[in-house]
Structures are given as structure tokens and as C-alpha cells.
């Protein structure tokens, strides 16, 4: 019986530690991004950043979806 309580206590401690670590990670490093893809696939170039920073008005993006075209996907 003592071993079961000890194991349950350890499991509770591990789960609580995981949630505390996740909360701290999201709070402290929310603005930090790291692109580890090959050839920096998801990183914006300096020129793209300059273009984005120079846009003054909001941009509306529209997405059109067709079920007929995507049937075979």
C-alpha cells in the first residue's frame, strides 16, 4: 500500500512539474522563435521584413475553397 501511494505521489509530482514547466515556458519565451528547418524554410528574409514593416494599411486575405477540386486529395 505504501508503494502505491509513493508511486501515485511521484506521478502527481511529475504531472504538476510538467504543467509548471509548460506555463513558465509559454510565459518567458512567448516571443522567441527558432527555425530549425532545412535551408531556413520558415524564416523571413530581411527584405520581406522591410516590406511588411512599410505597410501602413491593413491587408484583407481571402481564401476560396472548392470541394470539387480537393476531392482526390
Amino acid at each position: 500500500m505504501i508503494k502505491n501511494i509513493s508511486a501515485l505521489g511521484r506521478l502527481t509530482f511529475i504531472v504538476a512539474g510538467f504543467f509548471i514547466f509548460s506555463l513558465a515556458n509559454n510565459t518567458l519565451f512567448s516571443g522567441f522563435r527558432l527555425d530549425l528547418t532545412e535551408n531556413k524554410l520558415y524564416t523571413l528574409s530581411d527584405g520581406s521584413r522591410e516590406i511588411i514593416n512599410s505597410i501602413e494599411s491593413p491587408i484583407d486575405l481571402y481564401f476560396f475553397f472548392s470541394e470539387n477540386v480537393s476531392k482526390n486529395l
Side-chain angles (χ1 to χ4, degrees), residues 16-17 22 28 32-33 36 41 44 47 56 58:
S22 295
L28 297 175
F32 182 73
R33 298 287 185 254
L36 297 176
L41 185 63
L44 291 176
E56 295 177 4

Side-chain angles (χ1 to χ4, degrees), residues 31-43:
F32 182 73
R33 298 287 185 254
L34 183 62
D35 184 5
L36 297 176
T37 59
E38 187 176 347
N39 299 324
K40 303 282 187 198
L41 185 63
Y42 295 106
T43 301

Side-chain angles (χ1 to χ4, degrees), residues 2-67:
I2 293 174
K3 289 183 181 180
N4 289 341
I5 293 172
S6 178
L8 182 62
R10 283 188 230 148
L11 180 63
T12 304
F13 179 74
I14 291 171
V15 169
F18 174 76
F19 282 113
I20 290 171
F21 174 76
S22 295
L23 181 65
N25 185 30
N26 289 341
T27 303
L28 297 175
F29 301 112
S30 63
F32 182 73
R33 298 287 185 254
L34 183 62
D35 184 5
L36 297 176
T37 59
E38 187 176 347
N39 299 324
K40 303 282 187 198
L41 185 63
Y42 295 106
T43 301
L44 291 176
S45 67
D46 293 334
S48 297
R49 289 177 194 265
E50 287 179 24
I51 291 171
I52 291 171
N53 289 332
S54 68
I55 297 173
E56 295 177 4
S57 61
I59 297 175
D60 294 326
L61 299 176
Y62 298 98
F63 176 73
F64 297 95
F65 179 77
S66 172
E67 290 184 23

